[in-house]
């Protein structure tokens, strides 16, 4: 591709607020320069690009604007497509003009992709309309941190003090004494309502309501109400207090470790986020295509002589039918065979392949499936499609019922080898509230990776079998899903938070 630069607004924080155009441009990029106000989860839209962080407060050195521009030009001049990911909207207090000037001077084509600016998001996420028919017919976006070295402020604070609407102050934490005093000196009532919104749109969003003459003391280092903070100043900030819609969501304020395999983790993380929690993805096991297909191929060839076919998971269905198709077959090869699944989700995935399960136990337990089939499988051929490792309860139960059982590993279930440094740090500091554990294999490898650090968080098990595996490791299980689904697991967490 020809060199190109996208200047993309990342929005206020929630990765779901990125525009569709922004996601499309990230997917085209070969290099992404992102700042600390851009949610790092957005990088999943550019999985194959080089990711370069240009600074995050309290964690890494903050690059100056000259360094950022030089890095952007270096990659673009080498013929790469570069995304400059900027918090909020590129046109609002984001120094985009300097980057545009540099790109034009270098003759590099570019596109500016708008984003949701924090000022407008803060009002919506705090439940405060920045405009109001009776209270505010105008909004002014104001920087609380002007360029160092200016001989005098470019802001007319006296005019702003008389502004007939809502003031929204960006980057005003360290300068709170200055701008609050300037507004009061300019004639604004010291009792003017102020709403301070920190990390707007994120699950740990927090808000403080106060008077204008109290705002500065709420933003001192001792208060720990540190950047990023948006200050909403004006009568709208004094509207009746109530919980914001964000804080009423079931998992609001909770961080949840998602330990499922990578190919399934996003689905769970999205559910956590929809319920208001902060998902942290750190798979404990991985799912891979079987390295040896002989066993699976033999199972498919044996189908004409198979009476019952049992799928133990959604992954079993997907890998099985992928192999079936590769061998030149389709669902018609399963004609006349009785099919059972453990769980409604597995049955639902099966339906996508045009087949309906004949037997689905309501409680997702292997023992329940054995009970349901015990009177039907005597002297019959049963093929169980599952992972490369798992409980022996189902095959042993069916064999005891008189079935001829063939177990087939449709995919491999392998341990993640190294602990995630982010998770170790978060467990050590107690910033992970809940850990979801969705299998006995996951339980065992989590303990191998993190050991007794797991005791610094609460554990949620998807089934009694998984819970027992955790207890055997000396761990306390706080909730067990019933029924044994991710949705029920998250509901149990919400009810016990």
């Amino acid at each position: 591709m020809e060199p190109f630069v996208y200047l993309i607004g990342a929005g206020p924080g929630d990765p779901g607020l990125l525009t569709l155009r922004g996601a499309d441009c990230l997917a085209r990029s070969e290099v992404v320069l992102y700042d600390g106000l851009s949610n790092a989860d957005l990088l999943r839209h550019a999985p194959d690009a080089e990711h370069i962080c240009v600074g995050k407060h309290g964690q890494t050195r903050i690059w100056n604007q000259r360094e950022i521009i030089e890095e952007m030009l270096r990659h673009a001049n080498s013929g790469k497509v570069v995304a400059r990911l900027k918090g909020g909207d590129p046109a609002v207090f984001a120094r985009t003009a300097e980057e545009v000037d540099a790109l034009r001077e270098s003759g590099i084509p570019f596109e500016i992709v708008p984003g949701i600016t924090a000022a407008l998001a803060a009002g919506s996420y705090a439940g405060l309309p920045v405009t109001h028919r009776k209270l505010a017919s105008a909004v002014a976006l104001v920087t609380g941190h002007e360029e160092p070295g200016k001989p005098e402020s470019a802001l007319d604070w006296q005019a702003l003090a008389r502004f007939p609407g809502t003031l929204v102050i960006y980057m005003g934490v360290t300068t709170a004494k200055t701008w609050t005093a300037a507004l009061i000196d300019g004639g604004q009532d010291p009792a003017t309502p102020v709403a301070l919104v920190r990390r707007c749109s994120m699950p740990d969003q927090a808000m403080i309501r106060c008077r204008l003459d109290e705002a500065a003391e709420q933003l001192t280092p001792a208060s720990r109400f540190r950047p990023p903070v948006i200050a909403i100043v004006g009568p709208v900030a004094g509207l009746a207090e109530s919980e914001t819609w964000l804080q009423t969501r079931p998992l609001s304020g909770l961080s949840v470790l998602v330990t499922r395999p990578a190919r399934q983790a996003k689905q769970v993380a999205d559910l956590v986020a929809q319920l208001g929690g902060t998902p942290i993805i750190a798979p404990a096991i991985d799912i891979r295509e079987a390295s040896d297909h002989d066993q699976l191929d033999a199972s498919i060839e044996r189908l004409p002589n198979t009476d019952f076919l049992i799928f133990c998971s959604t992954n079993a269905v997907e890998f099985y039918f992928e192999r079936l198709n590769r061998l030149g077959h389709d669902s018609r090869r399963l004609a006349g065979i009785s099919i059972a699944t453990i769980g409604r989700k597995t049955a639902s995935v099966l339906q996508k392949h045009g087949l309906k399960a004949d037997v689905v136990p309501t409680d997702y337990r292997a023992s329940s499936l054995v009970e349901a089939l015990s009177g039907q499988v005597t002297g019959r051929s049963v093929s169980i499609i599952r992972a490369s490792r798992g409980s022996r309860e189902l095959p042993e139960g069916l064999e005891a019922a008189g079935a001829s059982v063939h177990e087939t590993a449709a995919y491999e279930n392998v341990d993640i080898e190294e602990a995630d440094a982010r998770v170790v740090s978060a467990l050590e500091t107690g910033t992970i509230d809940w850990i979801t554990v969705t299998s006995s294999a996951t339980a065992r490898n989590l303990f191998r990776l993190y050991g007794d650090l797991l005791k610094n968080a609460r554990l949620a098990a998807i089934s009694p079998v998984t819970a027992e595996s955790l207890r055997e490791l000396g761990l306390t299980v706080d909730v067990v899903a019933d029924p044994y689904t991710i949705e029920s697991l998250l509901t149990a967490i919400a009810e016990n938070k």
Side-chain angles (χ1 to χ4, degrees):
M1 294 182 69
E2 295 295 321
F4 200 93
V5 173
Y6 295 108
L7 303 170
I8 304 171
D14 182 340
L17 296 178
L18 179 72
T19 66
L20 293 173
R21 179 60 183 166
D24 182 57
C25 294
L26 279 172
R28 300 165 186 255
S29 301
E30 298 170 283
V31 178
V32 181
L33 304 178
Y34 67 101
D35 57 41
L37 293 178
S38 304
N39 194 317
D41 286 350
L42 295 175
L43 299 176
R44 63 184 170 83
H45 294 292
D48 300 322
E50 179 183 358
H51 303 152
I52 302 172
C53 181
V54 297
K56 186 166 186 173
H57 284 285
Q59 296 187 26
T60 62
R61 181 181 73 84
I62 307 298
W63 294 28
N64 62 45
Q65 189 62 27
R66 178 184 56 80
E67 291 175 311
I68 293 171
I69 290 174
E70 288 177 353
E71 186 75 358
M72 179 177 66
L73 294 178
R74 182 173 73 83
H75 290 287
N77 284 323
S78 69
K80 293 183 178 179
V81 178
V82 180
R84 170 73 174 99
L85 196 57
K86 306 161 79 71
D89 182 278
V92 182
F93 304 129
R95 302 188 71 170
T96 300
E98 297 166 61
E99 296 171 355
V100 166
D101 288 344
L103 290 168
R104 282 181 172 148
E105 186 176 329
S106 299
I108 296 170
F110 63 90
E111 176 183 339
I112 301 175
V113 182
I116 298 174
T117 186
L120 305 183
S124 295
Y125 273 82
L128 299 172
V130 292
T131 63
H132 191 286
R133 289 183 65 186
K134 296 180 179 179
L135 302 176
S137 297
V139 180
L141 309 185
V142 183
T143 178
H145 189 85
E146 295 186 82
E147 182 181 358
K150 276 187 178 180
E152 60 182 28
S153 174
L155 295 171
D156 185 339
W157 288 103
Q158 287 193 338
L160 289 171
R162 299 190 302 271
F163 184 73
T166 305
L167 301 178
V168 183
I169 313 284
Y170 285 73
M171 300 173 287
V173 171
T174 58
T175 59
K177 284 187 177 180
T178 301
W179 59 262
T180 55
L183 286 172
I184 293 170
D185 290 346
Q188 191 150 21
D189 186 347
T192 300
V194 175
L196 304 171
V197 185
R198 181 175 186 273
R199 285 176 57 80
C200 84
S201 81
M202 298 299 287
D204 60 347
Q205 173 184 301
M207 179 171 65
I208 294 175
R209 293 176 186 253
C210 60
R211 294 163 40 120
L212 180 60
D213 59 1
E214 299 169 338
E217 65 188 59
Q218 300 289 348
L219 296 174
T220 64
S223 75
R224 297 192 178 183
F225 210 72
R226 309 309 294 155
V229 172
I230 289 288
I232 301 173
V233 182
V236 298
L239 291 172
E241 282 200 48
S242 62
E243 277 192 308
T244 72
W245 60 268
L246 187 71
Q247 293 166 323
T248 61
R249 293 195 289 181
L251 297 182
S252 175
L254 298 180
S255 59
V256 179
L257 188 67
V258 177
T259 60
R260 275 198 138 178
R263 61 188 286 150
Q264 298 171 314
K266 182 183 180 301
Q267 180 185 9
V268 180
D270 286 347
L271 283 173
V272 171
Q274 287 171 22
L275 294 171
T278 302
I280 303 167
I281 296 177
I285 59 175
D286 192 14
I287 288 175
R288 302 172 186 170
E289 183 178 1
S291 55
D292 184 349
H293 294 113
D294 289 350
Q295 189 182 62
L296 186 52
D297 292 353
S299 173
I300 292 170
E301 293 306 314
R302 196 168 51 241
L303 282 173
N305 299 313
T306 299
D307 298 305
F308 287 87
L309 188 61
I310 300 173
F311 293 99
C312 294
S313 67
T314 58
N315 288 315
V317 174
E318 296 291 15
F319 281 103
Y320 188 87
F321 278 89
E322 183 179 322
R323 190 63 187 170
L324 185 76
N325 293 333
R326 282 191 195 175
L327 293 176
H329 304 300
D330 59 25
S331 300
R332 288 174 295 182
R333 189 163 181 80
L334 279 68
I337 300 174
S338 296
I339 301 176
T341 66
I342 297 181
R344 287 193 297 269
K345 280 197 172 180
T346 304
S348 177
V349 172
L350 186 66
Q351 280 193 310
K352 293 178 182 178
H353 295 277
L355 296 170
K356 184 177 180 180
D358 300 290
V359 181
V360 185
T362 57
D363 63 1
Y364 304 86
R365 298 173 60 161
S367 59
S368 296
L369 185 56
V370 171
E371 184 178 349
L373 293 175
S374 59
Q376 306 175 50
V377 297
T378 303
R380 313 295 289 276
S381 174
V382 178
S383 183
I384 299 175
I385 313 301
R386 62 188 313 165
S388 57
R389 56 185 179 180
S391 168
R392 294 286 305 153
E393 183 177 12
L394 179 60
E396 290 177 354
L398 293 175
E399 286 171 350
S404 172
V405 177
H406 301 274
E407 290 186 79
T408 300
Y411 60 99
E412 293 181 358
N413 191 322
V414 298
D415 292 338
I416 296 295
E417 291 298 323
E418 295 185 6
D420 188 315
R422 298 171 308 144
V423 174
V424 171
S425 176
L427 288 171
E428 288 176 341
T429 57
T431 54
I432 292 177
D433 297 302
W434 286 89
I435 300 172
T436 57
V437 188
T438 53
S439 71
S440 293
T442 297
R444 288 187 288 270
N445 201 44
L446 274 173
F447 189 75
R448 185 186 68 80
L449 292 171
Y450 304 108
D452 284 342
L453 285 176
L454 297 176
K455 296 178 180 179
N456 294 343
R458 302 177 75 184
L459 297 176
I462 200 162
S463 70
V465 172
T466 302
E468 184 57 30
S469 295
L470 288 166
R471 294 188 185 105
E472 289 173 357
L473 295 166
L475 300 169
T476 299
V477 179
D478 294 277
V479 298
V480 180
D482 185 16
Y484 313 146
T485 65
I486 286 295
E487 291 82 0
S488 294
L489 189 64
L490 297 181
T491 297
I493 290 174
E495 291 174 347
N496 290 271
K497 70 177 186 177

